[in-house]
Amino acid sequence: MKNVFITGISGCVGSYLADLILGNPEYKLFLLVSNPHKLSFDPAKYPNVAIVHDEMMNIKKYSDLLKGMDHVIHIAAGWGTSEINFEYTIDLFNALDPARIKKVIYFSTASILGPDNKVNDKVGEIGTSYIKGKYDCHKKLPELPVYDKIVTLFPTWVLGGDASHRYSHAMGGLLGAKKWLWLLRFLSIDFEFHFIHAKDIAFVVKYILENELKKRELVLGNGPVTADQLIQAICDHYKVKRYFKIRISPKLVKRLAGNRISEWDKYCLDQRHFVYKVSNPRTFGITAEFPTITNVLGGLN
């Protein structure tokens, strides 16, 4: 039996991953959970599951436990702070036994990358605390004793969630867009990005856990989507017609926002085309369940 330590299992991606691996008798799963009530499953039903009820900030307390791990899947992230994304993540990785650990699957973010899939140093200066933490952590990874065991995933815009799975932050935004369709349907902005559903991310994580990869870094996403395509797809889903479109320039957005706009927001408006070389379930011969925005929206009310 292989020992697997997982963080973030109660989040959006984690809840889908749980569906795929909880019943696997090959794994003894140690799940770091700050609030067991947020789990999408009953851990008592799984004899191979051990709940570590604590916060990432206390990860050093579990050094002895971590030394006995064969695999780590680190999904947890802090949205309003950098400590979880940097300091506590490094503490976790440093607690592992380099001679025993076989694979560390680590979630970063595509927000720290440029269009060539290389880290963009500018984001280390102007990014949010979340992004700066991920940036600082990525820079530190080569210094770690377990660096050669780490597979870094850079998710793009993560969608997902339903009655039995936690909603992602981005999915919450899509759900809230319905009440603004009366206005959004008339707007057009030059913006391009990738997305990937949390369930499809879970498929990729399971594959990486069970197979060896030549690549050590993967940007997770489907083909690029424009803001116009997204708005059109939402309108189609809710059967709202678009009679005409008013093009909104980034300069206008910055002017209207005034001092309320951050340096990171300005960067995003200037960049506009967040397009990368991406991987998804189909990269590994797995059928993707949500390859298009239309597929994702099909599960919304």
Side-chain angles (χ1 to χ4, degrees):
M1 183 175 284
K2 301 172 184 176
N3 292 335
V4 185
F5 190 86
I6 305 177
T7 73
I9 197 71
S10 63
C12 181
V13 174
S15 62
Y16 285 101
L17 180 62
D19 294 343
L20 301 180
I21 66 172
L22 281 180
N24 192 330
E26 294 182 10
Y27 299 132
K28 174 68 175 180
L29 303 176
F30 297 85
L31 311 179
L32 182 69
V33 180
S34 60
N35 185 353
H37 296 295
K38 291 184 177 181
L39 290 171
S40 60
F41 58 92
D42 180 0
K45 294 182 179 180
Y46 299 93
N48 64 327
V49 168
I51 298 297
V52 181
H53 186 186
D54 212 333
E55 309 271 354
M56 270 294 294
M57 64 185 295
N58 298 318
I59 196 66
K60 285 185 175 181
K61 288 170 49 178
Y62 304 98
S63 294
D64 290 341
L65 174 67
L66 290 167
K67 284 180 173 59
M69 292 300 116
D70 300 297
H71 301 281
V72 168
I73 304 173
H74 181 35
I75 307 172
W79 293 100
T81 178
S82 65
E83 287 86 358
I84 292 178
N85 306 317
F86 179 34
E87 288 92 339
Y88 306 150
T89 293
I90 297 301
D91 290 340
L92 166 60
F93 294 166
N94 276 331
L96 303 174
D97 179 359
R100 174 161 183 165
I101 192 74
K102 296 176 178 63
K103 192 173 297 177
V104 177
I105 302 174
Y106 161 58
F107 278 67
S108 185
T109 172
S111 295
I112 70 172
L113 303 178
D116 55 357
N117 284 31
K118 302 297 183 182
V119 172
N120 181 354
D121 290 328
K122 187 174 183 180
V123 305
E125 303 171 9
I126 64 172
T128 64
S129 59
Y130 163 76
I131 293 170
K132 287 180 179 178
K134 293 293 188 181
Y135 170 86
D136 290 339
C137 187
H138 189 271
K139 288 292 187 181
K140 185 72 174 178
L141 292 182
E143 303 175 18
L144 305 183
V146 297
Y147 178 61
D148 63 334
K149 309 294 180 62
I150 298 175
V151 177
T152 303
L153 304 180
F154 301 92
T156 51
W157 204 43
V158 177
L159 301 175
D162 54 32
S164 57
H165 301 88
R166 295 284 299 277
Y167 284 103
S168 71
H169 290 273
M171 198 67 171
L174 277 188
L175 290 169
K178 182 179 179 180
K179 65 182 179 181
W180 292 101
L181 275 184
W182 63 272
L183 175 61
L184 288 174
R185 61 178 174 162
F186 298 119
L187 304 182
S188 172
I189 187 168
D190 181 22
F191 206 84
E192 192 175 18
F193 58 94
H194 299 272
F195 77 94
I196 189 165
H197 194 281
K199 187 171 186 177
D200 287 334
I201 293 177
F203 286 143
V204 172
V205 172
K206 180 176 182 291
Y207 180 88
I208 296 173
L209 187 63
E210 298 172 350
N211 298 273
E212 292 303 319
L213 296 183
K214 291 182 179 180
K215 296 183 68 174
R216 297 274 305 285
E217 296 186 341
L218 299 171
V219 181
L220 301 182
N222 294 293
V225 175
T226 66
D228 269 0
Q229 289 171 332
L230 174 61
I231 294 172
Q232 185 63 59
I234 297 174
C235 287
D236 291 343
H237 177 73
Y238 290 112
K239 296 179 172 56
V240 174
K241 291 186 177 181
R242 300 180 82 186
Y243 297 100
F244 59 86
K245 293 183 286 186
I246 302 171
R247 188 170 185 79
I248 304 298
S249 71
K251 287 184 179 180
L252 177 60
V253 175
K254 286 188 279 189
R255 188 176 299 118
L256 292 174
N259 294 330
R260 293 170 295 178
I261 192 169
S262 68
E263 290 301 313
W264 173 250
D265 292 331
K266 290 178 184 177
Y267 167 77
C268 291
L269 286 169
D270 292 336
Q271 181 75 13
R272 296 201 303 282
H273 298 280
F274 292 87
V275 178
Y276 312 99
K277 297 175 183 176
V278 296
S279 299
N280 53 58
R282 289 168 291 181
T283 305
F284 308 102
I286 304 168
T287 300
E289 291 206 14
F290 298 92
T292 70
I293 284 291
T294 300
N295 296 139
V296 174
L297 295 174
L300 297 181
N301 296 319

